[in-house]
Amino acid sequence: MIVSKGYAAQTPETDLVPWSFERRDVGPHDVEIAIQYCGVCHSDLHQIKNDWFPGIFPMVPGHEIVGKIVRTGAHVKKFETGELAGVGCMVDSCRTCENCQDGLEQYCEKGNVGTYNAKGKDGLPTYGGYSNNIVVHEDFVLHISDKLSLSAVAPLLCAGITTYSPLRHWKVGKGHKLAVLGLGGLGHMAVKFGVSFGAEVTVLSSSANKEEAAKALGAHHFVLTSNDEQIKAAKGSFDFILDTVSAKHNLPLYLSLLRTNGVHICVGAPTEPHIIPAFALLMGRKSVGGSGIGGIAETQEMLDYCAAHDIVSDIELIDIKDITESYERMVKGDVRYRFVIDMATL
Ligand SMILES: [Zn+2]
Ligand SMILES: [Zn+2]
């Protein structure tokens, strides 16, 4: 086994603390990555707190991982020691179901293996990126360009692909009016991709002070959702709404902002179900869809696109000792737009 050190939640009620643990040895198809940076995703906190399902404890969170390959198994073909590499939200899947065959490992019919808070095929718990190293099968490891700031690349592995994938799936681009609901970790990436793909991008937010920030990211317009006049003026105007909000919100209101045939795409995950009257959909032939992260091939495509177009996340680099305080600030939305842990501080 390989000795690792990181930060773990021992229970859902306690703060993260330093913890030593073991990872599997590097198998013939595995690589070992020395982690340099790991993004802090809101879902890390949801999982520590058992918000979605009972977790596996101790839990080492983190699924926005970048670093350097330090060891490769005998049969590894895609990576060499010394190369930059990344790991996102999953580290394995069944590989044989229809979705896996189609490059949609995130929707594996047997369930993908999460980077943490999951059990691998060996039955052992997986531990995430708030740690100094990770061992992953090469098929679930991404190539990272050295052209971009490595710490700012980390959030692309979750926030980036979560917004890139639906925009690609629905072919959002030139001639489309795209609204991005919520301007946090996901929302700011959605704005960057939407603008880059040629769409006319509007940020919908309940905070007036986000207007300047939205425009600075390249958004063309801003609608303050608490302002009735602005909402009225936006009725029936968008082809797509990318909904990144994970708190409870009024979906029928946003559906009224879509044009005929418009699509409301959920990527945020509120704990309470949405309530949608049929009339909000059938008047204007509207749809509500959803999308979860992206497959491995598409994640690589996204990373390559970002390298070619100079797109990274806006981040605030933190010391791992400040993780609890960073969670508190993240919950309040007091971060532009993603915390990233500098693993040299471990
Ligand atoms: Zn995430
Ligand atoms: Zn599968």
Side-chain angles (χ1 to χ4, degrees):
M1 301 293 269
I2 289 171
V3 177
S4 298
K5 59 175 184 170
Y7 265 52
Q10 299 295 325
T11 74
E13 289 79 33
T14 51
D15 290 342
L16 298 192
V17 289
W19 188 54
S20 283
F21 58 102
E22 289 182 329
R23 297 188 184 274
R24 70 167 185 260
D25 278 323
V26 176
H29 297 279
D30 290 337
V31 300
E32 179 185 344
I33 301 168
I35 300 174
Q36 287 169 271
Y37 301 101
C38 184
V40 178
C41 176
H42 209 133
S43 68
D44 297 343
L45 191 55
H46 282 302
Q47 296 198 63
I48 293 164
K49 297 296 174 201
N50 281 346
D51 286 345
W52 295 335
F53 54 89
I56 302 166
F57 291 89
M59 189 190 300
V60 179
H63 59 205
E64 294 181 339
I65 299 165
V66 289
K68 218 166 234 176
I69 306 255
V70 289
R71 215 181 321 183
T72 57
H75 296 145
V76 167
K77 292 191 180 72
K78 299 171 196 164
F79 294 92
E80 281 176 24
T81 304
E83 273 187 285
L84 294 176
V87 178
C89 301
M90 54 187 174
V91 289
D92 210 347
S93 71
C94 87
R95 323 283 186 105
T96 56
C97 76
E98 197 181 344
N99 288 336
C100 285
Q101 297 275 307
D102 285 348
L104 298 168
E105 300 89 351
Q106 77 274 33
Y107 306 135
C108 174
E109 288 168 15
K110 302 205 173 88
N112 71 64
V113 177
T115 302
Y116 67 89
N117 196 20
K119 283 201 171 136
K121 285 176 184 159
D122 54 8
L124 298 173
T126 56
Y127 298 114
Y130 295 11
S131 59
N132 63 334
N133 59 21
I134 192 164
V135 176
V136 180
H137 191 290
E138 65 168 333
D139 288 349
F140 284 77
V141 178
L142 288 312
H143 291 280
I144 303 285
S145 165
D146 58 8
K147 282 193 207 142
L148 302 172
S149 156
L150 191 60
S151 54
V153 165
L156 300 178
L157 276 310
C158 174
I161 187 62
T162 298
T163 49
Y164 180 93
S165 182
L167 295 177
R168 284 305 198 205
H169 176 76
W170 274 279
K171 299 183 169 59
V172 178
K174 246 187 167 47
H176 288 139
K177 290 186 176 177
L178 166 70
V180 175
L181 179 55
L183 193 64
L186 294 177
H188 94 289
M189 288 311 307
V191 171
K192 290 187 185 206
F193 286 132
V195 170
S196 180
F197 297 166
E200 189 178 330
V201 178
T202 301
V203 168
L204 308 174
S205 172
S206 55
S207 332
N209 62 12
K210 293 259 172 96
E211 178 161 6
E212 205 178 311
K215 300 267 171 78
L217 289 166
H220 306 97
H221 313 283
F222 181 86
V223 171
L224 183 62
T225 54
S226 55
N227 181 311
D228 291 344
E229 287 302 306
Q230 291 189 29
I231 283 286
K232 213 169 142 193
K235 292 263 180 202
S237 63
F238 302 117
D239 298 288
F240 299 96
I241 296 175
L242 193 69
D243 179 351
T244 70
V245 174
S246 57
K248 191 181 174 189
H249 55 290
N250 179 2
L251 218 59
L253 170 73
Y254 298 107
L255 290 171
S256 75
L257 306 186
L258 287 172
R259 303 166 72 169
T260 301
N261 297 326
V263 185
H264 185 104
I265 307 160
C266 299
V267 292
T271 40
E272 280 185 59
H274 286 302
I275 295 169
I276 307 168
F279 270 107
L281 297 171
L282 59 88
M283 294 311 291
R285 199 162 53 194
K286 294 167 185 175
S287 321
V288 175
S291 180
I293 53 172
I296 294 298
E298 191 175 46
T299 304
Q300 188 63 61
E301 176 194 306
M302 179 271 310
L303 289 164
D304 295 346
Y305 183 90
C306 288
H309 294 84
D310 205 18
I311 294 174
V312 287
S313 175
D314 290 13
I315 66 153
E316 187 176 325
L317 201 59
I318 61 165
D319 188 311
I320 197 162
K321 289 169 207 70
D322 299 328
I323 187 65
T324 301
E325 186 200 326
S326 302
Y327 281 157
E328 286 162 10
R329 285 184 52 201
M330 179 176 69
V331 169
K332 285 188 262 175
D334 175 24
V335 53
R336 283 197 178 162
Y337 287 92
R338 204 65 148 179
F339 289 116
V340 171
I341 303 166
D342 181 353
M343 220 46 74
T345 63
L346 183 65

